[in-house]
Amino acid sequence: MSPYEEMLKGYNTDLHNEEVAQIVEKIIRENISGNATEEVYRFLFGCLDFTSLNPTDNQTQIAAFTRQVNEFDNQNPELNHVAAICVYPNFVECVRMNLDLSDVNIAAVAGGFPSAQTFSEVKIAEVALAVADGANEIDMVMNVGQFLNGEYEDICDEIVEIKRACREKARLKVILETGALGDYAAIKKASLLAIYSGADFIKTSTGKLSPGATPEAFYVMCTAIKEYYEKNHIRIGIKAAGGISTTAEALKYYTIAQSVLGPEWLNKEYFRIGASRLASSLVQSILEIRRK
C-alpha cells in the first residue's frame, strides 16, 4: 500500500451524498440569518480574490481592473482591501505595476490552468515565472484525470514540485475542480491528498466547469481541513470559487466555514472567495443595511 493510500485510511472518506446535503441544509438553515450583518459583509469583502480570468483579457483591461481595486479603497475607505487580485500568469507584472495597495496580494492561476493537462515541467516553469514576476499566491489545478484513475503518487509528487517552485515566496492554492470529481467521497480524498502534499489552501473549482462551487462540496473540504488539523496540527486555508456572485451565496460559504472550522479560520489568511461581481454586491448590501 502506498503512503498516500495509508494516509487516506486514517480518515472517514465513506461519505453519502444525501447525508452531506442534509447536514449542509441544517447548518445554513440554523445559522445563516444571524450572519446577515454589516460586520460579516465587510469581512467577506476583505477575503475576496478579485478575479479576471477571461480569454479576452489584455494588458489594458487588467491595468484598469487593478485600478478598480485602488479605487475601491478611495471610494470606500472604511472597507478592508480585497485580499488579492487573481489573474493569468502573463498579467502578474501588469498587476504589480498598477497596484497601489501593499496589503493586496497578487495571485496567478499557473500550472496549466484550467485543465492541468500539460507536462509537469511546463507547469513548474510557469509557476516559477509567475513568482519571479511578483505573484505571491499561486492557484494550481489538481490533475482530475489522474485522480479519477487512482494515480495518487503522480498527483502528490506534482503538487510537491510545484510547491517547491513557489520558493517560499508564494502560498499555494490547489484547485480540486469538485464538480468533476463525481461524489463527496472523492472530494474528501482529493482534499486530503492536496493537504498531505503541502497545499496552503484548497479551492473548490476553476469556474470553467459546471457545477462550480457548491455548499456541499465546500462543507466536505472544510471537514477534511479540520480533521487533518486535529491529527497533524497543520492549518491550511479554504477558497470557494466558481459562480459566487451575490451576497446571499457568499453568506452560505461563510456560515459553513464558521460552523465547521470555527473562528480561527475566519480571516483572510485562511478563508477566501474568488469572484469579481461579488464585490459590488457586498458593497450594495452594506449600503442597504446602513439605510435601514
Side-chain angles (χ1 to χ4, degrees):
M1 182 177 293
S2 74
Y4 314 102
E5 293 168 321
E6 189 70 35
M7 179 273 294
L8 290 174
K9 282 181 60 180
Y11 298 87
N12 175 27
T13 59
D14 185 23
L15 305 182
H16 301 283
N17 287 10
E18 286 187 7
E19 290 179 12
V20 169
Q22 289 170 1
I23 292 169
V24 171
E25 189 275 332
K26 185 173 187 289
I27 288 172
I28 292 172
R29 172 169 39 84
E30 294 182 353
N31 299 285
I32 196 167
S33 61
N35 290 329
T37 67
E38 179 177 344
E39 179 182 7
V40 172
Y41 298 159
R42 287 161 59 95
F43 167 80
L44 289 169
F45 188 91
C47 293
L48 286 179
D49 282 2
F50 199 55
T51 302
S52 185
L53 298 173
N54 305 304
T56 54
D57 286 346
N58 56 56
Q59 297 286 329
T60 301
Q61 289 174 326
I62 295 302
F65 185 72
T66 304
R67 288 194 292 271
Q68 275 187 264
V69 174
N70 300 332
E71 289 162 11
F72 267 128
D73 183 54
N74 295 329
Q75 296 167 1
N76 304 279
E78 76 283 4
L79 287 178
N80 294 327
H81 304 147
V82 298
I85 296 174
C86 184
V87 294
Y88 283 110
N90 50 311
F91 296 118
V92 166
E93 185 177 24
C94 179
V95 173
R96 180 170 55 82
M97 296 298 291
N98 286 278
L99 184 61
D100 295 337
L101 306 171
S102 61
D103 60 344
V104 175
N105 286 342
I106 303 173
V109 290
F113 181 93
S115 69
Q117 298 287 12
T118 188
F119 302 103
S120 286
E121 294 85 353
V122 171
K123 299 179 187 181
I124 292 163
E126 187 177 51
V127 168
L129 287 167
V131 172
D133 272 356
N136 47 20
E137 297 183 4
I138 295 294
D139 291 33
M140 66 161 284
V141 185
M142 175 184 282
N143 190 311
V144 175
Q146 287 183 327
F147 174 83
L148 294 175
N149 204 38
E151 300 170 35
Y152 297 161
E153 183 173 0
D154 290 339
I155 290 167
C156 293
D157 286 351
E158 184 170 84
I159 294 172
V160 168
E161 289 301 316
I162 289 175
K163 176 72 176 286
R164 187 171 292 129
C166 292
R167 295 184 297 157
E168 299 184 356
K169 293 183 177 181
R171 299 177 78 191
L172 180 63
K173 306 191 196 91
V174 177
I175 306 168
L176 306 183
E177 199 65 286
T178 55
L181 293 182
D183 59 29
Y184 299 134
I187 292 170
K188 183 76 171 284
K189 291 177 183 177
S191 299
L192 291 165
L193 289 169
I195 300 167
Y196 180 76
S197 303
D200 297 302
F201 272 78
I202 50 176
K203 174 179 170 182
T204 55
S205 48
T206 61
K208 303 301 183 184
L209 291 182
S210 183
T214 66
E216 293 79 14
F218 186 78
Y219 166 80
V220 171
M221 292 165 64
C222 284
T223 62
I225 289 170
K226 189 65 177 288
E227 290 170 19
Y228 199 92
Y229 174 76
E230 289 172 345
K231 277 182 178 285
N232 302 285
H233 307 291
I234 295 172
R235 189 191 310 276
I236 77 149
I238 187 160
K239 177 177 174 179
I244 305 168
S245 60
T246 69
T247 299
E249 291 166 343
L251 208 53
K252 292 178 182 180
Y253 294 93
Y254 173 87
T255 300
I256 293 166
Q258 178 191 53
S259 300
V260 177
L261 295 173
E264 296 87 355
W265 272 265
L266 295 181
N267 57 73
K268 69 178 183 178
E269 296 301 309
Y270 295 105
F271 178 86
R272 298 285 181 86
I273 296 181
S276 53
R277 291 175 294 167
L278 178 58
S280 57
S281 180
L282 287 168
V283 171
Q284 185 62 35
S285 296
I286 291 168
L287 291 175
E288 288 173 2
I289 286 178
R290 291 178 180 177
R291 283 196 292 262
K292 290 180 180 178

